[in-house]
């Protein structure tokens, strides 16, 4: 199968979306931009189409898909027992980087929900995504458009590298805005629970609806499995071993430089994820600058792209500085720790 990359412009959006929507209606797959990461879309209410997503990504079939809508009023067609608090959260954050989980209606096939009786729903904030959902069937199941186990795509080129030959079309809307996947909040139990941290933080949600809990399974070293099946996999994994180095800046820089020196003497190729503040402090190794320490939004936007760059450079190991876990930093560190398989060096 040949994979077309269609660059979207103001002039061609209508025609491109029309062609892509036809593919979706026929049960096919289309990768498209959202404000978080690129998604791999199919008709959410067609089990055969949903199965094609799992095949193309090589995704385990017990890992459920998020159903994307373009109109909040469509929520009641696929979900049940939607609490008032969820409606309030939707009003505040949709369209946007928030996914909510409810008991599913019968029309949503188990092929889409990975066999679960609940459904995850999100209204993305991206003109191409919204136009595609509206022009197709109104319900698009879409996981991140990476091959299973790879970092989520923040550029159409990332999708192409992972899925070339496996899907017919990629709508190229340029770089995404946020760069990390949406916050997932589960409303299928009494107190809403964050199953995956994202741009919408616990504090932001609590300001609208009161108490929200964090899935205890997300904590490091916790014996309980996370409730979102996808969070249990070692996702976002670069090819090289990634090690986070945590401590005061001077010590981190000093330790990393020493480790680079040792490794290079043994003929190893070492990558470093540094910041605006430290970029010039590493004389050796292959050094990438992820952005200013104080701005998590920039760090988030650069993270997956940098992990992919290191894959292409075939480094043997990556040392990364670690970041604040406040606010959106919690989501950034959640992804980094997963990519690192929780390897942290305290200095
Ligand atoms: O930002 C995003 O959410 C992106 C864009 C494309 O919208 N999508 C995305 O999908 O990240 P995916 O499939 O890569 O991640 C979905 C996560 C997985 O961890 C999955 O296990 C969890 O959501 N999930 C989906 N439905 C669920 C359900 N009914 N119960 C628990 N977890 C669910
Ligand atoms: Mg994913």
């Amino acid at each position: 199968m040949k994979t077309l990359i269609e660059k979207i412009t103001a002039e061609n959006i209508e025609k491109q979306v029309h062609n892509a929507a036809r593919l979706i209606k026929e049960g096919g797959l289309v990768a498209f931009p959202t404000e978080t990461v690129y998604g791999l879309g199919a008709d959410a209410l067609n089990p055969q189409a949903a199965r094609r997503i799992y095949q193309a990504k090589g995704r385990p079939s017990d890992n459920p898909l998020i159903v994307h809508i373009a109109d909040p009023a469509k929520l009641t067609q696929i979900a049940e027992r939607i609490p008032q608090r969820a409606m309030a959260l939707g009003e505040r954050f949709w369209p946007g980087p928030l996914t909510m989980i409810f008991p599913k209606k019968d029309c949503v096939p188990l092929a889409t929900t990975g066999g679960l009786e609940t459904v995850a729903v999100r209204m993305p904030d991206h003109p191409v995504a919204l136009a595609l959902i509206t022009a197709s069937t109104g319900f698009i199941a879409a996981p991140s458009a990476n091959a299973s186990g790879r970092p989520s795509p923040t550029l159409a080129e990332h999708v192409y590298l992972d899925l070339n030959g496996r899907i017919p079309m990629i709508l190229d809307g340029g770089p995404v805005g946020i760069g990390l996947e949406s916050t997932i909040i589960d409303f299928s139990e009494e107190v809403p629970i964050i199953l995956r941290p994202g741009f919408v933080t616990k504090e932001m949600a609590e300001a609208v609806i009161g108490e929200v809990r964090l899935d205890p399974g997300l904590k490091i070293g916790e014996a309980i499995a996370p409730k979102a099946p996808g969070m249990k996999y070692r996702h976002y994994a670069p090819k090289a071993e990634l090690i986070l180095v945590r401590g005061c800046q001077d010590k981190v820089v000093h330790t990393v430089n020493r480790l680079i020196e040792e490794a290079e003497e043994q003929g190893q190729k070492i990558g470093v994820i540094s910041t605006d503040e430290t970029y010039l402090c590493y004389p050796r190794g292959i050094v990438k600058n992820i952005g200013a320490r104080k701005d998590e939004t920039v760090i988030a936007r650069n993270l997956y792209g940098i992990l992919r760059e290191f894959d292409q450079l075939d480094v043997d190991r990556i040392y990364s500085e670690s970041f604040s876990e406040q606010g959106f930093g919690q989501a950034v560190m959640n992804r980094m720790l997963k990519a690192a398989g929780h390897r942290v060096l305290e200095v």
Side-chain angles (χ1 to χ4, degrees):
M1 182 187 298
K2 199 170 154 22
T3 301
L4 296 174
I5 302 191
E6 304 287 6
K7 189 124 198 104
I8 307 298
T9 62
E11 289 71 46
N12 74 10
I13 180 167
E14 212 169 311
K15 175 169 155 277
Q16 295 292 5
V17 164
H18 174 83
N19 291 340
R22 195 171 53 208
L23 272 171
I24 300 263
K25 284 190 265 188
E26 288 165 355
L29 304 183
V30 174
F32 62 95
T34 81
E35 82 283 29
T36 57
V37 298
Y38 274 76
L40 178 59
D43 179 0
L45 305 188
N46 174 347
Q48 189 52 43
R51 272 183 221 114
R52 287 199 180 100
I53 291 181
Y54 289 89
Q55 277 164 15
K57 280 183 59 107
R59 181 180 176 105
S61 60
D62 69 343
N63 191 2
L65 308 173
I66 295 173
V67 179
H68 295 68
I69 56 178
D71 172 4
K74 293 265 189 178
L75 177 59
T76 52
Q77 289 184 32
I78 54 172
E80 283 185 340
R81 287 186 266 140
I82 303 162
Q84 195 46 48
R85 282 172 299 174
M87 302 295 272
L89 219 50
E91 244 165 63
R92 171 68 184 78
F93 294 112
W94 276 359
L98 171 73
T99 296
M100 294 191 280
I101 296 180
F102 309 100
K104 77 172 189 70
K105 284 205 165 145
D106 288 342
C107 63
V108 184
L110 292 169
T112 295
T113 64
L116 297 178
E117 288 301 329
T118 52
V119 62
V121 188
R122 168 163 119 84
M123 179 174 174
D125 188 12
H126 194 292
V128 176
L130 293 170
L132 180 64
I133 298 162
T134 306
S136 53
T137 59
F139 302 99
I140 293 191
S144 48
N146 50 288
S148 191
R150 302 269 298 133
S152 293
T154 52
L155 293 173
E157 287 76 11
H158 297 159
V159 182
Y160 188 80
L161 280 171
D162 280 14
L163 301 178
N164 177 25
R166 306 177 75 93
I167 61 173
M169 189 186 284
I170 302 168
L171 299 180
D172 181 355
V176 299
I178 293 178
L180 283 193
E181 308 82 351
S182 61
T183 305
I184 301 180
I185 303 188
D186 183 1
F187 278 95
S188 69
E189 288 177 44
E190 196 46 37
V191 178
I193 304 176
I194 296 183
L195 303 190
R196 178 173 73 182
F199 184 82
V200 175
T201 62
K202 183 169 182 288
E203 295 73 29
M204 285 158 77
E206 284 183 330
V208 183
I209 59 168
E211 188 188 4
V212 176
R213 287 191 195 142
L214 199 64
D215 179 2
L218 290 177
K219 287 219 192 79
I220 302 161
E222 196 57 56
I224 336 159
K227 194 175 174 197
M231 297 301 278
K232 72 176 182 255
Y233 299 106
R234 181 174 167 240
H235 246 187
Y236 326 112
K239 288 185 201 155
E241 179 181 48
L242 170 67
I243 297 169
L244 306 190
V245 187
R246 188 152 55 190
C248 77
Q249 186 171 306
D250 290 351
K251 279 196 182 150
V252 168
V253 168
H254 180 80
T255 307
V256 169
N257 276 327
R258 185 172 49 77
L259 291 166
I260 299 172
E261 207 172 309
E262 282 170 18
E264 286 188 346
E265 269 162 24
Q266 290 167 24
Q268 290 185 324
K269 206 166 161 185
I270 302 296
V272 179
I273 300 180
S274 69
T275 52
D276 276 3
E277 291 83 354
T278 57
Y279 181 60
L280 298 172
C281 303
Y282 300 102
R284 303 171 71 159
I286 302 171
V287 186
K288 305 270 175 200
N289 179 357
I290 199 165
R293 207 154 250 299
K294 62 177 186 308
D295 193 349
E296 285 93 18
T297 61
V298 175
I299 294 175
R301 200 180 303 135
N302 289 332
L303 176 64
Y304 290 149
I306 287 182
L307 293 179
R308 282 176 176 268
E309 283 174 36
F310 277 132
D311 279 352
Q312 285 189 324
L313 290 163
D314 266 322
V315 295
D316 297 297
R317 194 174 311 135
I318 306 164
Y319 290 109
S320 175
E321 296 179 15
S322 51
F323 305 101
S324 151
E325 296 199 35
Q326 296 304 306
F328 186 30
Q330 180 170 53
V332 175
M333 283 305 287
N334 167 269
R335 304 312 194 275
M336 290 194 84
L337 282 162
K338 272 169 62 113
H342 294 294
R343 277 179 298 256
V344 181
L345 183 64
E346 306 279 354
V347 296

